[in-house]
Amino acid sequence: MFSRWNWVACGFYLLLNICSPDVSGGLVQSCGHIIPESPVLALGSNFTALCILNESCLDFGNIYANQIIWKIKNKVVPKEQYREINRTVSSVTFNDTSSLATPLTCNILADGQIEQNIYGITVTVGLAPEKPKNLSCIVHQISMFTYVMNCTWNPGRHTFLDTEFRLRYSWPEEVFPDCIPKGVNNSCTITDIQFFVNTEIWVEAANALGKAESDPLVVDPVDIVKPLSPQNVSVSSGILPTVLKLSWENCIQDAVMTLKFNIRYRITGDTSWIEVPPEDTASPRTSFSVQGLRPYTEYAFSIRCMKEDGVGYWSDWSEAKTGITTEDQPSKGPPIWRIIDASHSPACWTVHLMWKALKPFEANGVILQYEVTVRDKSSLSSPLKKYNVTSTNHTLQLPNGTYEVTLIARNSVGASPPSVLLIPASNSKAPVKNLRTLPKHDKLWVGWTAPNSYVLKYVIEWCLVSSSSDCIIEWQIVLGDVQGIDLKGIKPFKCYLITVYPLYADGQGSGQSVKAYLKQDRPSKGPTVQTKKVGKAEAVLTWNHLTVEEQNGFIRNYTILYKTIDGNETVVTVDPSKTEYTLSSLTSDTLYTVRMMASTDNGSRTGPDFTFTTQKFGKGEIEAIVVPVCLAFLLIVLLGVLFCFNKRDLIKKHIWPIVPDPSKSNIAQWSPQVPAKHNFNSKDQMYPEGSFTDVSVVEIEADDKKSFSEQDLKPFDLLKKEKSTSEGHSSGIGGSSCMSSPRQSVSDSDEGETTQNTSSTVQYSTVVLNGYRDQTPVQVFSRSESTQPLLDSEERSEEHAGGADSTAQRQQYFRQNGGQDENNTDRPCFERAKQITQANEGDLVGFVQLQVSGQSSQPLGLGMENNTQEATLSNAFQTCTEGQTVRPETVEENPLSVADMPKSYLPQTVRQGGYMPQ
Amino acid sequence: MAAADSPSPALRRRDLCSRGIRLAGKMRADVVDLLDIYVEQQGLDASASVAAVEGVPLAAVERWDEQTGTQRLLENLAAYRAFRALLAQMLEEQREQLGEADEGLGRALAAVLLQVSAFAYHLEELLRLESRGIPGEEGDGPPPPPPRLSLFEQKLRGLGVLRELAQWAVRSARDLRQLAKPSPATGTAPGLAESP
């Protein structure tokens, strides 16, 4: 219990001691303290601190040095750095002060539990000042009598401590007050300067860790003076036009120093200065005359000074003062050139004389007027013409000839040397060669090769080419030994036309021209392309040249880019001189997009897109289709018309069949002798020889029950049989002998009946083809004179007797008999058939066969004699007519029937209900 | 720019002479300017005649050209030491009279005082180069403290000091030029060689 109270009392005592300020004479005393108190330490050095406990605390509080704990900013210092010197003193050692921080505290672990702070110190770490280096001083003149000396130095490294710099200076027996910098640590200004005494100047730097001094600078301040520049500078012109007098005031006492000067000057507006030779102004003075100046030119002058011996500093340049030299007479005549306008009349020129105003250094004053003198060299007697002009151009009306123009510029002092321009009647001399240009930064160099002859001067004309305005000519004259000049004021991206004329002593050469750009750019716009003509596979594109303002350079080429909507773009390069191009190999009826690009050396610009669609048909295609079709149509129509015309009877018969007039029937006269009754002679006249186309002779046995009826002998149209078997039944009703069909006989024989029927044959009839056409057969052969109307029965019997098959067979048979006309020239009834056969060359073979068979039956009664021959020929022709509808078997049967054919005539028996003559 | 190195005695002497001449010229110019300011400030008449100031050696001397170099230096040194004391007294009296009200006159007086001190230093250096002992100021004894003068008398005395200083500045420049002349025989100043 006692022990517990003892510890409480002890802790209370310790707390009182710790918390109380250690004030001398204070009520409470600390239990310890640290040595050293608030040290300033060099960075990187080692440091040892001691914590010393008070004896009183030892006795009362039972605290000892071994209980001390060192802390840096609440961080416990490792115990390895502690050392217990005795029971009241503990030390801590730091090998490197850079690890130190503030505060460093000494603490005690009371009763092994409670940590109490005994004492603390502030540790300052830094560096000692370095020796200031590079001390230099300069004395600035502030006013006539006021000088200040400003010294600068290098203060060295940062010390992390408050470091005081002092600039000190002294005489050997006089120490002046120190100069303490304000706000800076590397310069100070001394205001109390005494010249002519060597003054020792140095810098002291000091802080808590040490002090350093710079090397002393021993200098007489007068030797480091930067004086004020001369004041009140004035410039006055002298008598001479090339001299200006410069005056000034010096701001420094002669007693302090004597001065030397620098004078510089330049023409107002120039940038570079010209300096008067320093040796001319190396002595003290307050004025100087600058010579060698240009007359009537404004100059700016500036002056500076320094100590005469050159020790010290130059003052600043004074403010520039200007002055103008007086006038002098012009030094040269104005350059003169001309433009001759002979457009009005070749015999009379309008001469525009123009000259350049003299440059200021040439005019040497204000040009009051120009005197132009014109002398006609072609006429010695003509008087001189003089003109006084105040402008720089003059226009004369002169007859064509050679003139010498003299120009003089005059100012208030005098006249210039004359400028002479020879205007020859023609520019017949040699021109310059190899005219070329080359851009040089902002200038355009123009070069040429001199002609072989001696050239006095060259005139270079140039003008900005514009599409909207005339070329405003600028010009320049250079001497004859020059072969290239730089043109100034040339704008980039503009086209210039440059012409060079050589001027000879006795004439003038023709001008050589070249176009040039100072700098090229890509065109400002692209060409607008459009189609001139669009075809099926080609399109003619046309465009306008870009204006010269739009070109921005030489157009090297045009590029046409075209494509279909989904196709690849095709590129075509076109010569820049062209304005039209034909795109070929295009796809018909296709939408194309085309655009055009103009290219200069520096880029390209594309114009707007243009679309067009190629045509579906090419040129003439429609015509090539339509015209033949029309022609073919017309031909067909014509043929149809002709056909119809030729077949009008047949058509007529189809539409309006000829109804035989029974009243005119003459059946009673129709007998085998009838033909004899007919006037064959007359028929021969009507049907000349060879007009028969087909002849059949059919011999029919008289007793044959199946003898041919008259129906079978009705006439048959050849062409109708050729074309259509359906037309076969359009036979003549009542059928004349001419129209009785041999085919019918053949048809019968086809049916296997012919052989039997012809066993007793009689000559029945001759058949005349086309008997319907012109009704000739009707007129010639009157088959019957009966007046009995038989139309219906005849028609029906025909239809009944012949089916489609028999009709075809008839047709075949008829074809076999076709062409017999050649050997039956005496049968006019066949003439028409022959004509038709000739018109149908394609059926010639068939006709030949028919012709052969016809031959066998041609002469009545003589047919049998020819049968053998006929059969032979038929066989011979068979081989040639394969594929034909005519079968040779049909022909072969004829001889068989002919052999049994009765020689007498009998009226035809009607087979199968055929017509029977009444 | 002068350096801290040690040039030869001849060069040093020439340099000191040259610098002393220019300092004397500067000092004269400043004193002349100061005189104008002083007369104006003190309300004196510029044409007022002032009796010789006690303790100030007169610049005018007979047989000036017969003086030796050392003699010239010694007389100059004595004079400028006297001027230094007088100017210091004038500056103190000036401050007592006008306080800080007229800094211009005070600064000018201080500047002239510095120049006088600098010139005295030049003279001492020249004597040191000639291996001549420099007389101590105590040995020569400073001019006895002037009796208590009235304000006007102080002004007149100040005017007299400045006028005499201006005279001495002219003489000192001539003395140093004389000293700076090269000695054809010995290379030293003839005056110094002749000095006793």
Side-chain angles (χ1 to χ4, degrees):
Chain A
M1 189 70 175
F2 173 79
S3 170
R4 189 171 184 178
W5 279 109
N6 187 30
W7 276 111
V8 170
C10 192
F12 180 72
Y13 177 80
L14 188 63
L15 188 63
L16 282 176
N17 280 278
I18 291 169
C19 295
S20 301
D22 185 13
V23 181
S24 177
L27 296 175
V28 182
Q29 207 171 17
S30 173
C31 270
H33 63 279
I34 296 174
I35 296 174
E37 176 74 37
S38 299
V40 178
L41 306 174
L43 194 63
S45 64
N46 55 15
F47 171 65
T48 299
L50 301 175
C51 184
I52 304 169
L53 300 175
N54 292 340
E55 288 288 344
S56 58
C57 291
L58 296 182
D59 298 337
F60 191 78
N62 292 324
I63 54 175
Y64 301 97
N66 59 359
Q67 295 173 287
I68 288 176
I69 296 172
W70 291 89
K71 280 188 174 183
I72 300 173
K73 207 174 183 178
N74 297 327
K75 185 180 176 183
V76 177
V77 178
K79 296 247 176 137
E80 293 77 18
Q81 296 178 232
Y82 300 173
R83 183 173 164 228
E84 184 182 353
I85 295 175
N86 55 37
R87 68 189 193 110
T88 60
V89 179
S90 173
S91 71
V92 63
T93 301
F94 300 92
N95 291 328
D96 188 353
T97 52
S98 59
S99 62
L100 274 172
T102 295
L104 174 64
T105 56
C106 172
N107 306 276
I108 192 127
L109 203 58
D111 199 17
Q113 299 290 331
I114 304 170
E115 184 179 298
Q116 298 292 340
N117 179 252
I118 300 296
Y119 202 78
I121 59 171
T122 298
V123 179
T124 304
V125 179
L127 293 169
E130 281 188 319
K131 176 182 176 182
K133 298 172 185 171
N134 301 331
L135 174 65
S136 65
C137 298
I138 180 170
V139 174
H140 294 279
Q141 185 184 12
I142 305 301
S143 67
M144 186 77 177
F145 303 102
T146 309
Y147 302 86
V148 297
M149 184 168 68
N150 179 260
C151 295
T152 58
W153 61 89
N154 180 1
R157 67 187 177 189
H158 183 49
T159 62
F160 307 102
L161 301 174
D162 289 335
T163 302
E164 184 184 59
F165 289 87
R166 287 174 175 268
L167 179 65
R168 311 192 70 177
Y169 63 106
S170 69
W171 290 345
E173 296 179 348
E174 186 89 31
V175 177
F176 299 99
D178 295 341
C179 177
I180 300 173
K182 293 176 181 175
V184 294
N185 62 357
N186 64 343
S187 70
C188 195
T189 301
I190 300 169
T191 56
D192 187 14
I193 300 299
Q194 295 299 322
F195 295 134
F196 310 116
V197 183
N198 282 335
T199 305
E200 186 175 356
I201 307 167
W202 71 99
V203 179
E204 280 184 7
N207 64 14
L209 293 175
K211 189 170 78 172
E213 286 185 1
S214 69
D215 292 332
L217 174 67
V218 179
V219 63
D220 183 348
V222 79
D223 290 338
I224 53 174
V225 170
K226 180 181 179 181
L228 286 174
S229 54
Q231 304 291 306
N232 299 329
V233 180
S234 62
V235 182
S236 58
S237 56
I239 299 173
L240 294 174
T242 58
V243 175
L244 283 175
K245 185 179 180 182
L246 194 63
S247 301
W248 64 89
E249 294 175 1
N250 295 319
C251 288
I252 201 164
Q253 296 170 285
D254 290 340
V256 174
M257 66 174 71
T258 54
L259 300 172
K260 67 177 182 180
F261 305 90
N262 275 169
I263 298 172
R264 65 179 184 178
Y265 62 95
R266 65 181 175 188
I267 296 174
T268 302
D270 284 358
T271 54
S272 57
W273 291 91
I274 303 167
E275 196 159 323
V276 173
E279 57 268 23
D280 293 350
T281 55
S283 58
R285 62 182 65 235
T286 55
S287 66
F288 187 81
S289 292
V290 182
Q291 304 178 33
L293 305 178
R294 291 174 182 167
Y296 198 64
T297 304
E298 185 180 65
Y299 286 90
F301 294 89
S302 181
I303 187 170
R304 66 177 181 177
C305 61
M306 75 176 297
K307 198 148 78 79
E308 186 182 6
D309 58 5
V311 179
Y313 298 93
W314 281 105
S315 70
D316 294 327
W317 286 103
S318 68
E319 186 182 355
K321 290 289 182 181
T322 59
I324 302 175
T325 50
T326 56
E327 286 192 24
D328 195 2
Q329 62 184 20
S331 60
K332 60 176 285 191
I336 183 171
W337 185 233
R338 86 294 175 275
I339 296 175
I340 298 174
D341 184 4
S343 59
H344 300 298
S345 168
C348 184
W349 287 344
T350 301
V351 179
H352 302 281
L353 293 175
M354 50 191 182
W355 54 90
K356 291 182 181 295
L358 291 171
K359 295 186 174 72
F361 63 89
E362 297 167 338
N364 292 339
V366 178
I367 299 299
L368 301 175
Q369 69 174 22
Y370 299 95
E371 294 176 5
V372 179
T373 306
V374 180
R375 185 166 70 91
D376 187 351
K377 293 194 73 173
S378 55
S379 173
L380 295 175
S381 60
S382 61
L384 293 176
K385 295 178 180 176
K386 287 191 175 182
Y387 308 91
N388 290 331
V389 184
T390 55
S391 64
T392 56
N393 57 72
H394 189 60
T395 300
L396 299 171
Q397 298 290 337
L398 297 172
N400 189 342
T402 300
Y403 297 92
E404 184 182 81
V405 179
T406 304
L407 178 67
I408 291 172
R410 191 177 289 278
N411 65 10
S412 61
V413 177
S416 71
S419 295
V420 179
L421 175 67
L422 182 67
I423 303 176
S426 64
N427 297 342
S428 57
K429 301 289 182 179
V432 298
K433 294 175 282 189
N434 192 22
L435 182 61
R436 59 206 180 274
T437 62
L438 184 67
K440 282 183 177 178
H441 303 294
D442 59 340
K443 299 172 185 173
L444 185 64
W445 179 82
V446 180
W448 58 87
T449 302
N452 295 328
S453 306
Y454 174 73
V455 178
L456 283 179
K457 295 174 182 175
Y458 293 100
V459 177
I460 300 94
E461 281 185 357
W462 69 94
C463 67
L464 177 63
V465 180
S466 170
S467 61
S468 58
S469 61
D470 291 337
C471 216
I472 300 173
I473 291 176
E474 297 180 71
W475 55 278
Q476 185 174 345
I477 293 181
V478 296
L479 294 177
D481 56 350
V482 175
Q483 295 190 12
I485 63 164
D486 290 327
L487 300 184
K488 298 175 183 175
I490 301 296
K491 299 174 184 173
F493 318 131
K494 300 291 184 186
C495 182
Y496 284 85
L497 178 65
I498 302 163
T499 307
V500 176
Y501 298 90
L503 303 185
Y504 299 92
D506 55 348
Q508 177 180 317
S510 58
Q512 291 289 304
S513 297
V514 66
K515 283 185 176 179
Y517 284 87
L518 175 63
K519 192 185 291 183
Q520 296 189 52
D521 195 5
R522 63 176 187 157
S524 56
K525 63 176 287 191
T528 301
V529 66
Q530 56 187 356
T531 53
K532 182 180 180 183
K533 192 168 66 177
V534 178
K536 179 182 178 183
E538 70 283 330
V540 180
L541 302 179
T542 182
W543 61 90
N544 291 325
H545 284 306
L546 296 176
T547 64
V548 70
E549 288 85 0
E550 295 167 342
Q551 290 178 6
N552 291 339
F554 293 114
I555 301 295
R556 297 303 183 194
N557 57 58
Y558 290 120
T559 305
I560 299 173
L561 305 101
Y562 65 98
K563 63 175 181 179
T564 59
I565 290 178
D566 52 352
N568 291 330
E569 194 167 60
T570 306
V571 177
V572 179
T573 302
V574 182
D575 187 88
S577 63
K578 294 185 176 178
T579 58
E580 188 174 303
Y581 185 79
T582 302
L583 299 179
S584 57
S585 302
L586 303 179
T587 307
S588 63
D589 195 23
T590 304
L591 178 67
Y592 279 89
T593 300
V594 63
R595 58 200 168 100
M596 195 156 184
M597 184 167 69
S599 301
T600 66
D601 292 337
N602 284 47
S604 306
R605 182 84 73 176
T606 305
D609 285 355
F610 182 81
T611 57
F612 65 89
T613 305
T614 51
Q615 294 184 353
K616 195 167 186 177
F617 298 101
K619 180 182 180 183
E621 271 189 16
I622 294 176
E623 290 83 348
I625 294 170
V626 170
V627 170
V629 167
C630 291
L631 289 175
F633 178 75
L634 287 174
L635 186 60
I636 289 169
V637 168
L638 183 61
L639 287 174
V641 169
L642 285 174
F643 177 80
C644 292
F645 183 74
N646 285 336
K647 297 299 181 182
R648 64 183 182 276
D649 294 337
L650 188 60
I651 296 169
K652 184 178 178 184
K653 200 167 187 177
H654 269 289
I655 301 173
W656 302 286
I658 298 172
V659 180
D661 186 0
S663 65
K664 294 178 182 177
S665 171
N666 196 14
I667 192 66
Q669 296 176 358
W670 193 74
S671 66
Q673 288 78 23
V674 170
K677 292 179 182 177
H678 288 287
N679 186 2
F680 279 95
N681 292 329
S682 64
K683 287 180 182 175
D684 287 341
Q685 292 172 356
M686 294 176 66
Y687 301 99
E689 185 177 337
S691 62
F692 297 99
T693 60
D694 199 358
V695 175
S696 294
V697 175
V698 181
E699 291 181 359
I700 305 172
E701 290 180 2
D703 56 350
D704 193 346
K705 294 177 181 177
K706 295 183 180 178
S707 60
F708 294 102
S709 65
E710 192 175 356
Q711 178 73 25
D712 297 330
L713 298 174
K714 67 181 180 181
F716 227 95
D717 186 277
L718 176 61
L719 288 175
K720 290 198 71 170
K721 285 177 183 174
E722 289 288 327
K723 293 181 180 293
S724 173
T725 56
S726 64
E727 298 175 3
H729 55 80
S730 60
S731 60
I733 299 175
S736 68
S737 60
C738 282
M739 303 305 289
S740 49
S741 174
R743 151 186 63 95
Q744 188 67 31
S745 301
V746 174
S747 176
D748 289 343
S749 63
D750 288 343
E751 293 169 358
E753 297 172 357
T754 307
T755 306
Q756 293 175 354
N757 291 339
T758 57
S759 61
S760 59
T761 59
V762 293
Q763 182 177 0
Y764 177 72
S765 176
T766 57
V767 179
V768 179
L769 297 179
N770 290 335
Y772 284 117
R773 252 181 232 175
D774 50 6
Q775 299 295 314
T776 303
V778 177
Q779 294 175 356
V780 175
F781 299 99
S782 298
R783 193 181 65 173
S784 174
E785 294 178 353
S786 173
T787 57
Q788 183 179 358
L790 300 173
L791 283 173
D792 289 341
S793 61
E794 187 175 324
E795 284 290 324
R796 276 192 295 270
S797 65
E798 185 184 20
E799 292 174 358
H800 183 72
D805 294 337
S806 63
T807 305
Q809 288 173 348
R810 283 199 302 269
Q811 192 174 15
Q812 288 175 343
Y813 180 74
F814 190 74
R815 291 183 65 182
Q816 284 176 329
N817 290 334
Q820 289 180 352
D821 52 340
E822 291 181 2
N823 295 321
N824 296 286
T825 57
D826 56 343
R827 294 180 183 175
C829 275
F830 295 143
E831 184 176 355
R832 297 294 297 171
K834 180 187 176 184
Q835 291 172 350
I836 294 172
T837 304
Q838 288 173 342
N840 294 277
E841 292 292 333
D843 298 326
L844 182 58
V845 175
F847 283 119
V848 170
Q849 288 177 328
L850 290 170
Q851 186 180 14
V852 171
S853 62
Q855 281 179 340
S856 63
S857 59
Q858 183 179 27
L860 294 176
L862 294 177
M864 288 186 294
E865 297 175 6
N866 298 326
N867 280 343
T868 305
Q869 184 183 0
E870 179 185 358
T872 305
L873 288 170
S874 299
N875 289 331
F877 276 107
Q878 184 181 0
T879 58
C880 300
T881 57
E882 285 183 8
Q884 295 287 338
T885 56
V886 177
R887 290 200 300 252
E889 289 80 5
T890 308
V891 180
E892 285 175 354
E893 288 176 355
N894 285 330
L896 294 176
S897 62
V898 169
D900 298 332
M901 191 180 297
K903 304 299 183 183
S904 60
Y905 170 77
L906 285 175
Q908 284 181 264
T909 57
V910 176
R911 184 169 52 93
Q912 295 175 352
Y915 166 72
M916 288 292 288
Q918 298 294 315
Chain B
M1 187 176 295
D5 53 358
S6 53
S8 66
L11 284 177
R12 173 73 175 150
R13 180 169 174 271
R14 191 184 307 162
D15 177 65
L16 283 170
C17 287
S18 171
R19 209 176 298 279
I21 293 167
R22 293 162 69 190
L23 179 58
K26 173 75 165 55
M27 192 161 52
R28 172 176 167 76
D30 288 350
V31 171
V32 170
D33 293 339
L34 180 59
L35 271 172
D36 294 338
I37 298 171
Y38 186 83
V39 168
E40 184 180 351
Q41 289 287 330
Q42 301 294 338
L44 298 175
D45 185 359
S47 60
S49 63
V50 181
V53 179
E54 189 180 353
V56 176
L58 292 176
V61 64
E62 292 181 0
R63 296 184 179 182
W64 172 83
D65 53 346
E66 293 178 2
Q67 284 189 326
T68 63
T70 304
Q71 189 177 359
R72 297 176 192 273
L73 289 174
L74 289 173
E75 283 189 6
N76 273 273
L77 182 58
Y80 282 96
R81 283 179 173 171
F83 281 125
R84 186 165 58 191
L86 291 169
L87 286 171
Q89 185 180 352
M90 284 176 63
L91 189 59
E92 187 177 351
E93 290 170 355
Q94 176 70 24
R95 284 174 183 159
E96 287 176 357
Q97 292 169 16
L98 304 174
E100 302 297 327
D102 192 353
E103 292 185 356
L105 182 60
R107 277 204 301 271
L109 276 173
V112 171
L113 176 57
L114 276 176
Q115 290 170 2
V116 168
S117 298
F119 196 80
Y121 163 73
H122 273 285
L123 296 172
E124 291 169 359
E125 283 296 302
L126 283 170
L127 286 170
R128 204 172 285 124
L129 280 174
E130 300 303 324
S131 303
R132 305 292 298 198
I134 301 172
E137 292 186 58
E138 292 79 9
D140 290 347
R148 193 65 186 173
L149 301 175
S150 65
L151 183 58
F152 182 72
E153 289 171 332
Q154 288 177 6
K155 290 179 180 179
L156 285 180
R157 189 192 62 183
L159 181 61
V161 169
L162 291 178
R163 281 181 176 174
E164 197 59 38
L165 179 57
Q167 295 289 335
W168 264 106
V170 175
R171 179 188 163 177
S172 297
R174 295 183 64 189
D175 284 334
L176 291 179
R177 283 196 188 91
Q178 195 70 20
L179 284 169
K181 288 180 181 176
S183 170
T186 62
T188 57
L192 293 178
E194 296 167 0
S195 62

